[in-house]
Amino acid sequence: MMLFDKVMNQSMERFSALSFVKKQVYIHNTEYLARKVAYITQLYTACFSNFGWLSKDSRFYKRILQGNLYFGSDINKDDSSVSKIMEYLPEQQTMTENFPLPFHIHFTILPNFCCVSGIIWKDNLERVFICLSECSIPRDMIENSPGSYAYLSELLEEYDSVKHPQLRDWIKGKELSIHKIHNDSKKYWGDSFYSHYLKIKMIGALGDVLFTSKTLKEIAISHNFIKYNNMYKAFNRYDIDLSKISRFAKL
């Protein structure tokens, strides 16, 4: 969940900065922008599910929230998520008119852990516009990993498959046990070290496919895939067709 939280936060920051988003914000096209926010959310939830990070048996993505209301107006108290969203909105005076702001919060509404992401903006009539997606998962489905495995995250940050194509040799060079890292990775991530490393690379590449105008070949190289074919095969292995992913930076 921490990784999904981080990915959605970064995604909405990048989405809000795109020129086509700013144009649609200016004409208050909440319906159009809400569909884009929903697309991003559903793409990542599908990706996480295919990676085995989210259960395919539960529906993580819940709904889209779009529309506008006046600052300080009464809201539907029966909708706990909307109440939480209103609590976390920035102060009106800190917002610039018709300028999209990324919005990402997480909170608990028992028995669920909830995550809301998207963009917001205000107009000159003291209205706030929202285009947000809501996801939630029962808290008892979230597993907390022991802190003793945290060293794996540090290794993950250090590892570079281009500089060190032989993972085994790189680990030996650090005077670490291959057997221990394999076992700890399985317990921590439910996956081998290299497989998890590859999935993290794919998440980074997916962001560039969505939010930049780089070619797929350039994206592959910048995310340490030796060539585009390697990246294509990696995504294809998890039923993700790169050719069908929207290129928002080109809209």
Side-chain angles (χ1 to χ4, degrees):
M1 285 306 301
M2 286 179 62
L3 181 57
F4 184 82
D5 226 28
K6 179 181 178 180
V7 167
M8 290 306 298
N9 189 24
Q10 292 174 341
S11 295
M12 293 310 154
E13 287 179 355
R14 298 178 79 175
F15 179 69
S16 66
L18 294 173
S19 58
F20 90 91
V21 172
K22 294 176 181 178
K23 291 175 184 176
Q24 296 301 319
V25 161
Y26 189 76
I27 60 174
H28 306 317
N29 195 347
T30 56
E31 184 177 348
Y32 175 80
L33 291 171
R35 287 200 303 269
K36 301 304 182 188
V37 168
Y39 176 86
I40 295 167
T41 308
Q42 290 173 314
L43 178 64
Y44 278 115
T45 54
C47 186
F48 273 55
S49 180
N50 291 353
F51 285 175
W53 294 344
L54 287 173
S55 171
K56 292 189 176 184
D57 297 328
S58 61
R59 191 172 66 90
F60 185 55
Y61 171 77
K62 298 302 181 187
R63 60 174 172 166
I64 199 74
L65 298 161
Q66 70 174 80
N68 68 83
L69 67 160
Y70 287 95
F71 282 97
S73 62
D74 291 332
I75 58 174
N76 183 4
K77 300 293 184 181
D78 295 329
D79 194 322
S80 300
S81 294
V82 173
S83 296
K84 283 286 185 184
I85 290 167
M86 296 306 293
E87 285 179 28
Y88 284 96
L89 285 178
E91 294 291 331
Q92 180 182 354
Q93 60 269 24
T94 66
M95 299 174 68
T96 303
E97 288 178 15
N98 298 322
F99 186 83
L101 292 177
F103 186 83
H104 177 79
I105 60 171
H106 59 257
F107 50 87
T108 299
I109 298 178
L110 293 175
N112 296 325
F113 175 85
C114 306
C115 171
V116 172
S117 309
I119 60 170
I120 61 173
W121 68 93
K122 74 168 186 177
D123 66 2
N124 61 351
L125 299 176
E126 298 189 346
R127 293 182 299 179
V128 59
F129 292 77
I130 62 171
C131 297
L132 307 170
S133 64
E134 180 183 2
C135 299
S136 68
I137 187 172
R139 285 187 65 187
D140 58 13
M141 291 182 66
I142 302 174
E143 297 180 5
N144 293 317
S145 300
S148 58
Y149 299 141
Y151 80 97
L152 291 170
S153 296
E154 296 177 9
L155 286 177
L156 198 69
E157 289 289 328
E158 290 181 42
Y159 182 58
D160 184 325
S161 58
V162 174
K163 294 179 181 177
H164 307 283
Q166 297 300 322
L167 175 62
R168 180 179 293 269
D169 293 341
W170 182 74
I171 290 174
K172 282 184 177 179
K174 289 186 164 293
E175 300 182 346
L176 296 169
S177 164
I178 298 285
H179 182 69
K180 174 176 169 54
I181 287 192
H182 179 76
N183 287 341
D184 285 355
S185 295
K186 286 285 187 179
K187 293 173 184 175
Y188 190 36
W189 295 313
D191 216 340
S192 70
F193 182 90
Y194 185 78
S195 180
H196 189 75
Y197 168 77
L198 181 61
K199 291 173 182 177
I200 294 296
K201 282 206 304 183
M202 292 166 67
I203 289 294
L206 189 59
D208 278 356
V209 174
L210 281 168
F211 304 118
T212 76
S213 57
K214 294 178 183 177
T215 67
L216 293 180
K217 182 178 180 180
E218 289 172 332
I219 291 171
I221 293 171
S222 66
H223 289 278
N224 286 351
F225 290 95
I226 296 173
K227 52 186 177 180
Y228 167 69
N229 241 13
N230 295 65
M231 184 173 76
Y232 175 82
K233 288 178 181 177
F235 277 95
N236 197 48
R237 189 180 308 144
Y238 294 101
D239 298 320
I240 302 169
D241 188 343
L242 285 174
S243 66
K244 293 182 179 178
I245 295 175
S246 295
R247 305 298 309 271
F248 288 152
K250 295 184 177 183
L251 292 179

Short mmCIF file of all heavy atoms in Angstrom, two decimals, residues 152-176:
data_model
loop_
_atom_site.label_atom_id
_atom_site.label_comp_id
_atom_site.label_asym_id
_atom_site.label_seq_id
_atom_site.Cartn_x
_atom_site.Cartn_y
_atom_site.Cartn_z
N LEU A 152 16.67 -4.78 2.47
CA LEU A 152 16.43 -5.15 1.07
C LEU A 152 16.05 -3.92 0.24
O LEU A 152 16.43 -3.82 -0.93
CB LEU A 152 15.32 -6.20 0.99
CG LEU A 152 15.66 -7.58 1.53
CD1 LEU A 152 14.41 -8.45 1.61
CD2 LEU A 152 16.72 -8.26 0.66
N SER A 153 15.31 -3.00 0.83
CA SER A 153 14.93 -1.77 0.11
C SER A 153 16.15 -0.93 -0.20
O SER A 153 16.22 -0.30 -1.26
CB SER A 153 13.92 -0.96 0.95
OG SER A 153 12.71 -1.68 1.11
N GLU A 154 17.11 -0.92 0.73
CA GLU A 154 18.36 -0.18 0.49
C GLU A 154 19.15 -0.82 -0.66
O GLU A 154 19.70 -0.12 -1.51
CB GLU A 154 19.20 -0.15 1.77
CG GLU A 154 18.53 0.62 2.91
CD GLU A 154 19.34 0.58 4.19
OE1 GLU A 154 20.50 0.10 4.15
OE2 GLU A 154 18.82 1.00 5.24
N LEU A 155 19.19 -2.16 -0.67
CA LEU A 155 19.87 -2.85 -1.76
C LEU A 155 19.19 -2.58 -3.10
O LEU A 155 19.85 -2.41 -4.12
CB LEU A 155 19.89 -4.36 -1.50
CG LEU A 155 20.83 -4.88 -0.41
CD1 LEU A 155 20.66 -6.39 -0.25
CD2 LEU A 155 22.28 -4.56 -0.76
N LEU A 156 17.87 -2.52 -3.05
CA LEU A 156 17.09 -2.27 -4.26
C LEU A 156 17.44 -0.91 -4.86
O LEU A 156 17.52 -0.76 -6.08
CB LEU A 156 15.60 -2.35 -3.94
CG LEU A 156 14.63 -2.54 -5.10
CD1 LEU A 156 14.78 -3.93 -5.69
CD2 LEU A 156 13.19 -2.35 -4.64
N GLU A 157 17.64 0.08 -3.99
CA GLU A 157 18.01 1.43 -4.44
C GLU A 157 19.40 1.44 -5.07
O GLU A 157 19.66 2.18 -6.01
CB GLU A 157 17.97 2.40 -3.25
CG GLU A 157 16.57 2.73 -2.74
CD GLU A 157 15.79 3.60 -3.69
OE1 GLU A 157 16.39 4.42 -4.40
OE2 GLU A 157 14.55 3.44 -3.73
N GLU A 158 20.27 0.60 -4.55
CA GLU A 158 21.66 0.58 -5.02
C GLU A 158 21.84 -0.19 -6.32
O GLU A 158 22.68 0.16 -7.15
CB GLU A 158 22.56 -0.06 -3.96
CG GLU A 158 22.77 0.75 -2.71
CD GLU A 158 23.69 0.01 -1.74
OE1 GLU A 158 24.70 -0.57 -2.21
OE2 GLU A 158 23.39 0.01 -0.53
N TYR A 159 21.05 -1.22 -6.50
CA TYR A 159 21.30 -2.15 -7.60
C TYR A 159 21.03 -1.52 -8.97
O TYR A 159 20.03 -0.85 -9.17
CB TYR A 159 20.45 -3.41 -7.43
CG TYR A 159 20.71 -4.44 -8.52
CD1 TYR A 159 22.00 -4.95 -8.73
CD2 TYR A 159 19.69 -4.87 -9.36
CE1 TYR A 159 22.25 -5.87 -9.74
CE2 TYR A 159 19.94 -5.80 -10.37
CZ TYR A 159 21.22 -6.28 -10.55
OH TYR A 159 21.47 -7.19 -11.55
N ASP A 160 21.94 -1.77 -9.90
CA ASP A 160 21.83 -1.29 -11.28
C ASP A 160 22.13 -2.48 -12.19
O ASP A 160 23.27 -2.96 -12.24
CB ASP A 160 22.83 -0.16 -11.52
CG ASP A 160 22.70 0.46 -12.90
OD1 ASP A 160 22.40 -0.28 -13.86
OD2 ASP A 160 22.92 1.68 -13.03
N SER A 161 21.11 -2.96 -12.89
CA SER A 161 21.26 -4.17 -13.70
C SER A 161 22.15 -3.96 -14.93
O SER A 161 22.64 -4.93 -15.50
CB SER A 161 19.89 -4.69 -14.14
OG SER A 161 19.20 -3.70 -14.88
N VAL A 162 22.32 -2.70 -15.34
CA VAL A 162 23.20 -2.41 -16.49
C VAL A 162 24.66 -2.50 -16.05
O VAL A 162 25.49 -3.13 -16.71
CB VAL A 162 22.89 -1.02 -17.10
CG1 VAL A 162 23.91 -0.68 -18.18
CG2 VAL A 162 21.48 -1.00 -17.67
N LYS A 163 24.98 -1.88 -14.93
CA LYS A 163 26.35 -1.92 -14.42
C LYS A 163 26.70 -3.30 -13.86
O LYS A 163 27.87 -3.72 -13.89
CB LYS A 163 26.53 -0.87 -13.31
CG LYS A 163 26.43 0.56 -13.80
CD LYS A 163 26.60 1.53 -12.63
CE LYS A 163 26.47 2.98 -13.10
NZ LYS A 163 26.57 3.93 -11.95
N HIS A 164 25.69 -3.99 -13.33
CA HIS A 164 25.93 -5.29 -12.69
C HIS A 164 24.93 -6.32 -13.23
O HIS A 164 23.96 -6.68 -12.55
CB HIS A 164 25.80 -5.18 -11.17
CG HIS A 164 26.64 -4.11 -10.56
ND1 HIS A 164 28.00 -4.25 -10.36
CD2 HIS A 164 26.31 -2.86 -10.12
CE1 HIS A 164 28.48 -3.14 -9.83
NE2 HIS A 164 27.48 -2.28 -9.66
N PRO A 165 25.13 -6.78 -14.46
CA PRO A 165 24.19 -7.73 -15.07
C PRO A 165 24.09 -9.05 -14.32
O PRO A 165 23.07 -9.74 -14.39
CB PRO A 165 24.73 -7.93 -16.49
CG PRO A 165 26.16 -7.50 -16.42
CD PRO A 165 26.23 -6.44 -15.39
N GLN A 166 25.14 -9.41 -13.59
CA GLN A 166 25.11 -10.65 -12.80
C GLN A 166 24.79 -10.31 -11.35
O GLN A 166 25.67 -9.92 -10.58
CB GLN A 166 26.45 -11.39 -12.92
CG GLN A 166 26.80 -11.84 -14.32
CD GLN A 166 25.78 -12.80 -14.89
OE1 GLN A 166 25.24 -13.66 -14.20
NE2 GLN A 166 25.48 -12.63 -16.19
N LEU A 167 23.53 -10.43 -10.99
CA LEU A 167 23.09 -10.09 -9.63
C LEU A 167 23.85 -10.89 -8.58
O LEU A 167 24.25 -10.35 -7.54
CB LEU A 167 21.59 -10.34 -9.49
CG LEU A 167 20.98 -10.15 -8.10
CD1 LEU A 167 21.15 -8.72 -7.63
CD2 LEU A 167 19.51 -10.55 -8.10
N ARG A 168 24.08 -12.16 -8.85
CA ARG A 168 24.77 -13.03 -7.90
C ARG A 168 26.17 -12.48 -7.57
O ARG A 168 26.56 -12.44 -6.39
CB ARG A 168 24.87 -14.44 -8.48
CG ARG A 168 25.58 -15.46 -7.59
CD ARG A 168 25.58 -16.82 -8.25
NE ARG A 168 24.22 -17.34 -8.34
CZ ARG A 168 23.66 -18.10 -7.40
NH1 ARG A 168 24.35 -18.42 -6.31
NH2 ARG A 168 22.44 -18.55 -7.55
N ASP A 169 26.90 -12.05 -8.60
CA ASP A 169 28.25 -11.52 -8.38
C ASP A 169 28.20 -10.21 -7.58
O ASP A 169 29.08 -9.95 -6.74
CB ASP A 169 28.96 -11.28 -9.71
CG ASP A 169 29.25 -12.59 -10.45
OD1 ASP A 169 29.24 -13.65 -9.79
OD2 ASP A 169 29.46 -12.55 -11.68
N TRP A 170 27.19 -9.38 -7.88
CA TRP A 170 27.05 -8.10 -7.17
C TRP A 170 26.79 -8.34 -5.68
O TRP A 170 27.37 -7.67 -4.82
CB TRP A 170 25.92 -7.29 -7.79
CG TRP A 170 25.70 -5.94 -7.18
CD1 TRP A 170 26.47 -4.83 -7.33
CD2 TRP A 170 24.63 -5.56 -6.29
NE1 TRP A 170 25.95 -3.77 -6.61
CE2 TRP A 170 24.81 -4.20 -5.97
CE3 TRP A 170 23.54 -6.24 -5.76
CZ2 TRP A 170 23.95 -3.50 -5.13
CZ3 TRP A 170 22.67 -5.54 -4.92
CH2 TRP A 170 22.88 -4.19 -4.61
N ILE A 171 25.93 -9.30 -5.39
CA ILE A 171 25.62 -9.61 -3.99
C ILE A 171 26.83 -10.19 -3.28
O ILE A 171 27.14 -9.83 -2.14
CB ILE A 171 24.42 -10.58 -3.92
CG1 ILE A 171 23.13 -9.86 -4.36
CG2 ILE A 171 24.24 -11.13 -2.50
CD1 ILE A 171 21.92 -10.76 -4.48
N LYS A 172 27.55 -11.06 -3.97
CA LYS A 172 28.76 -11.64 -3.38
C LYS A 172 29.79 -10.56 -3.10
O LYS A 172 30.51 -10.60 -2.09
CB LYS A 172 29.35 -12.69 -4.31
CG LYS A 172 28.63 -14.03 -4.29
CD LYS A 172 29.33 -15.03 -5.18
CE LYS A 172 28.67 -16.40 -5.12
NZ LYS A 172 29.34 -17.39 -6.00
N GLY A 173 29.87 -9.59 -4.00
CA GLY A 173 30.81 -8.48 -3.82
C GLY A 173 30.51 -7.66 -2.58
O GLY A 173 31.39 -6.96 -2.06
N LYS A 174 29.28 -7.71 -2.13
CA LYS A 174 28.90 -7.00 -0.90
C LYS A 174 29.03 -7.90 0.33
O LYS A 174 28.59 -7.51 1.42
CB LYS A 174 27.45 -6.49 -1.03
CG LYS A 174 27.32 -5.34 -2.02
CD LYS A 174 25.91 -4.77 -1.99
CE LYS A 174 25.88 -3.42 -2.66
NZ LYS A 174 26.62 -2.38 -1.91
N GLU A 175 29.57 -9.09 0.10
CA GLU A 175 29.78 -10.08 1.16
C GLU A 175 28.46 -10.43 1.85
O GLU A 175 28.37 -10.54 3.08
CB GLU A 175 30.81 -9.57 2.17
CG GLU A 175 32.18 -9.30 1.54
CD GLU A 175 33.21 -8.84 2.55
OE1 GLU A 175 32.82 -8.46 3.68
OE2 GLU A 175 34.40 -8.86 2.22
N LEU A 176 27.44 -10.59 1.03
CA LEU A 176 26.12 -10.99 1.53
C LEU A 176 25.80 -12.39 1.03
O LEU A 176 26.36 -12.86 0.03
CB LEU A 176 25.04 -10.01 1.05
CG LEU A 176 25.16 -8.58 1.56
CD1 LEU A 176 24.20 -7.67 0.80
CD2 LEU A 176 24.88 -8.51 3.06
#
